[in-house]
Amino acid sequence: MASTHGLSGDQPNKSVDFDAMKQAGWPVRRRSLIPTLLATILISSALVYSFGRVGLSSAAGETVQAILSMVGLGESSQVVEATTRFFDQGWPPVISSEQETSRIEKFNREDLPWLSHIETREVPSISVEFVDGTVVEREVTETKEVLVKPVGYLQRVAWLMWETLEIALWGTIMAIACGFPLGMLGAKRICRVGPLVLLARSVCSLSRAIPELISALFFVLLFGFGPAAGVLALGLHSAGFLGKFFADDIDNTKPGPSDALACSGVGRFGVFLHALLPQVLPQYLAYIQYILERNVRAATVLGIVGAGGIGVELMGKWHNFQFGHATTVLIAIFLTVVILEAISQTLRMRWIQD
């Protein structure tokens, strides 16, 4: 094949003649690589500086040391030791609870709690005595009587998990109650008043901008420790998301059905009920399901600041190195999220089919 203006069609030409291509009518333009090269160098330098600043360089070094230690090519690693300690002490999960009978008020041996029994434990301790004016420490063994409840800790985790679910549920209900009117006011297809639309969307942005952990601290200050602060924090934060999602979906609906109903004399409420809502209802249910699952996960963290839930229990067991109890709490959270997702998926599919 003959070349055009010195360009071969069979073999690639490494030195492209842009002037010749321009004269031939090709829409090409000579580009300089210097700005791209400078931008790449600046961005790479900033990323390298930030990598060390946030501690990722140290974490990467410890990870490499851990891998070398695991294959026998390096010294002992703190990462490997911590991981090994967690799995050694965290498994199997602890589901029983024990309490010394001497510390139980009005303990009655004849009326023990359900499934519980009494065991005797030999506990090593240090005895301090004065012998001839000097302090002598001796290792002794004390006998203690404890009340064992085989599923006592599991019952406590179940109760705290139920409280966490209540916080997430009421937080989601509050988010729907506040987010739906905000979404309707923020949708231009429904609200024709521009300043009102801007105000509704601004309120949604503000509520989303405040993390629920920060707002939980504020509500704890107002209403004290307990689940109520967690409900208010989750409801306020989630309402911003639902309000934005509801408004965006209304604005993105197809105008044909709503215009047809409006031209036939149907009122605004009828247009919304029969033309707009059927188009957005599946998305609305998906958003509510997502917010509920998200609130369950968030409610487990809010307990750290005193807003109720299972977070306080998890933090306490973790700080006291009771990894067996912490494993029980983590499994309970995982199972709750999985079961909740399965139930919500089933309900959503049935609602959509209906």
Side-chain angles (χ1 to χ4, degrees):
M1 182 177 179
S3 61
T4 304
H5 296 284
L7 296 175
S8 175
D10 296 330
Q11 296 180 354
N13 191 354
K14 294 182 179 178
S15 58
V16 179
D17 190 346
F18 286 95
D19 296 334
M21 295 181 69
K22 276 186 174 180
Q23 292 177 4
W26 290 88
V28 296
R29 186 176 58 180
R30 189 185 300 277
R31 296 178 182 276
S32 176
L33 295 178
I34 294 178
T36 305
L37 183 61
L38 291 176
T40 303
I41 293 174
L42 289 176
I43 294 174
S44 301
S45 301
L47 289 177
V48 169
Y49 172 73
S50 177
F51 190 83
R53 179 178 170 80
V54 299
L56 287 178
S57 59
S58 176
E62 292 178 356
T63 303
V64 172
Q65 184 180 353
I67 294 174
L68 293 176
S69 176
M70 291 175 65
V71 299
L73 298 178
E75 299 178 353
S76 61
S77 168
Q78 177 186 351
V79 176
V80 176
E81 292 176 356
T83 306
T84 304
R85 184 168 67 250
F86 173 77
F87 283 105
D88 286 345
Q89 301 178 10
W91 194 265
V94 176
I95 61 174
S96 63
S97 63
E98 298 180 356
Q99 187 177 12
E100 291 186 26
T101 56
S102 58
R103 297 185 178 184
I104 300 176
E105 188 177 358
K106 298 180 180 179
F107 178 69
N108 186 1
R109 296 176 179 275
E110 306 299 329
D111 186 17
L112 299 180
W114 183 59
L115 292 179
S116 61
H117 60 276
I118 298 175
E119 292 184 1
T120 303
R121 301 287 169 81
E122 302 291 337
V123 181
S125 62
I126 302 296
S127 174
V128 179
E129 298 178 357
F130 288 93
V131 179
D132 298 333
T134 58
V135 178
V136 178
E137 295 183 354
R138 295 177 180 173
E139 294 184 358
V140 297
T141 302
E142 295 182 354
T143 302
K144 293 184 178 180
E145 194 177 61
V146 296
L147 177 66
V148 180
K149 298 179 181 178
V151 291
Y153 189 68
L154 189 61
Q155 290 176 340
R156 174 174 174 76
V157 170
W159 176 251
L160 291 174
M161 201 66 232
W162 178 254
E163 185 183 83
T164 304
L165 286 175
E166 288 180 305
I167 295 173
L169 177 63
W170 281 106
T172 305
I173 292 175
M174 181 179 171
I176 297 172
C178 299
F180 188 78
L182 286 174
M184 298 303 104
L185 291 176
K188 297 178 182 177
R189 298 282 301 277
I190 295 180
C191 183
R192 306 297 182 181
V193 184
L196 202 55
V197 173
L198 180 61
L199 178 63
R201 288 188 172 267
S202 299
V203 172
C204 292
S205 300
L206 178 64
S207 63
R208 291 199 311 274
I210 304 175
E212 59 265 44
L213 202 61
I214 303 301
S215 57
L217 282 172
F218 179 72
F219 288 122
V220 165
L221 182 66
L222 294 182
F223 302 102
F225 295 101
V231 171
L232 294 173
L234 290 178
L236 177 66
H237 187 68
S238 303
F241 285 99
L242 287 183
K244 172 181 168 52
F245 294 159
F246 289 170
D248 288 344
D249 277 357
I250 288 290
D251 287 340
N252 292 331
T253 54
K254 297 179 180 178
S258 56
D259 292 344
L261 285 178
C263 291
S264 62
V266 178
R268 288 188 177 183
F269 182 73
V271 171
F272 170 77
L273 192 62
H274 299 291
L276 297 178
L277 187 60
Q279 296 186 58
V280 299
L281 185 59
Q283 291 90 335
Y284 279 17
L285 295 177
Y287 297 148
I288 293 172
Q289 174 199 348
Y290 166 73
I291 291 296
L292 180 60
E293 293 176 4
R294 180 186 174 282
N295 284 346
V296 170
R297 293 191 294 271
T300 61
V301 180
L302 293 181
I304 295 176
V305 297
I310 205 168
V312 177
E313 183 73 15
L314 178 61
M315 184 182 65
K317 298 303 180 185
W318 196 272
H319 286 174
N320 292 327
F321 300 102
Q322 295 175 306
F323 295 132
H325 296 80
T327 302
T328 304
V329 175
L330 292 175
I331 292 175
I333 295 173
F334 171 74
L335 292 178
T336 301
V337 173
V338 171
I339 293 173
L340 186 65
E341 182 178 1
I343 294 174
S344 58
Q345 285 282 3
T346 304
L347 292 177
R348 189 167 71 93
M349 293 304 297
R350 289 188 178 181
W351 288 342
I352 292 175
Q353 290 175 357
D354 291 341

